[in-house]
Amino acid sequence: QVQVVESGGGVVQPGRSLRLSCVVSGFTFSSFGMEWVRQAPGKGLEWVATVSYDGVDKYYADSVKGRFTISKDRSKNTLYLQMTSLRDEDTAVYFCAKESIPVGGLYYGLNVWGQGTTVTVSS
Amino acid sequence: QSVLTQPPSVSGTPGQRVTISCSGGGSNIGSNPVNWYQQVPGTAPKLLIYDNNQRPSGVPDRFSGSKSGTSVSLAISGLQSKDEADYYCAAWDDSLNGSVFGTGTKVTVL
């Protein structure tokens, strides 16, 4: 079945780096854009980053621009989020999600979500 | 600070119809499709409505979406206890060149 599974979260000190991974299965990874969405404790959903189906186009929230990098490794069916210069406010559950429409589905929602991986930034 | 504004909470009794509003601007709701998500606390969000009013397979027709100008609404008819959850609207924002989520609405079934 179609699924995405995140990993890589943990406790990290401010200013340090962390890489999140999201292994996908059950669909053609190269045909769908992918996104990271986060949720701070007790807060709402916040979009973090998007990568296009072919890995070429990348978009970032202003809050993470210049610090986070989203990428796809099609040979490993894996989505990544490289996070650097982490701040206290980056503490959240990070969800990996698949766009619902192939090739250019930027606007049409995320229909498959992982259970999330928790990142805690604390000294 | 989200650019899409929702009421913090709505409530209703079983069987009732409730609506959740989501207000934005010309660069997001006014220009792009809107999607709705349902999130039961402690679980991952679920796509409920995409492209303003389309339901993914498996979503009951009790859920419906509509759009007018720079605002959208999600209606839940025949409210059930299992509909208790947080609901979020979302859209692409051309000015921000990114996606935005609404502030979220908690639905309570009385």
Side-chain angles (χ1 to χ4, degrees):
Chain A
Q1 72 276 24
V2 178
Q3 66 175 359
V4 300
V5 180
E6 308 95 335
S7 62
V11 180
V12 61
Q13 293 179 327
R16 303 299 290 265
S17 300
L18 201 62
R19 188 178 78 164
L20 305 183
S21 300
C22 171
V23 177
V24 313
S25 58
F27 65 96
T28 306
F29 189 45
S30 58
S31 294
F32 290 87
M34 299 291 297
E35 305 194 7
W36 288 97
V37 175
R38 69 185 180 184
Q39 187 167 35
K43 302 296 184 182
L45 300 174
E46 181 189 13
W47 170 76
V48 174
T50 296
V51 61
S52 60
Y53 71 99
D54 56 4
V56 172
D57 297 315
K58 301 176 182 181
Y59 309 90
Y60 299 93
D62 286 344
S63 57
V64 307
K65 200 171 295 182
R67 301 188 299 122
F68 290 12
T69 302
I70 188 171
S71 62
K72 296 178 87 176
D73 185 334
R74 283 179 280 181
S75 67
K76 296 182 179 179
N77 268 12
T78 302
L79 175 74
Y80 298 103
L81 185 68
Q82 178 68 48
M83 305 185 295
T84 64
S85 303
L86 283 162
R87 306 167 179 168
D88 291 351
E89 55 265 34
D90 295 320
T91 294
V93 174
Y94 285 73
F95 295 102
C96 161
K98 164 191 165 291
E99 292 181 354
S100 63
I101 305 293
V103 184
L106 189 62
Y107 306 115
Y108 300 104
L110 307 168
N111 68 337
V112 178
W113 294 67
Q115 286 308 300
T117 187
T118 301
V119 173
T120 303
V121 183
S122 173
S123 53
Chain B
Q1 204 83 354
S2 176
V3 297
L4 302 184
T5 303
Q6 301 178 231
S9 64
V10 300
S11 62
T13 55
Q16 199 173 16
R17 181 178 186 269
V18 298
T19 61
I20 302 169
S21 61
C22 172
S23 177
S27 62
N28 41 70
I29 293 177
S31 303
N32 296 304
V34 176
N35 311 301
W36 287 92
Y37 299 90
Q38 176 192 60
Q39 186 183 32
V40 175
T43 70
K46 171 188 173 182
L47 182 64
L48 209 58
I49 297 287
Y50 69 97
D51 195 9
N52 304 321
N53 54 20
Q54 302 299 302
R55 280 186 307 277
S57 172
V59 174
D61 59 7
R62 301 188 296 106
F63 295 91
S64 62
S66 63
K67 179 175 178 177
S68 178
T70 57
S71 294
V72 292
S73 293
L74 174 72
I76 309 173
S77 60
L79 194 65
Q80 300 179 8
S81 58
K82 63 182 178 181
D83 298 333
E84 278 206 342
D86 297 316
Y87 292 80
Y88 297 89
C89 57
W92 186 262
D93 190 297
D94 293 333
S95 295
L96 298 175
N97 206 28
S99 189
V100 288
F101 282 93
T103 49
T105 299
K106 181 177 181 60
V107 169
T108 302
V109 182
L110 302 171

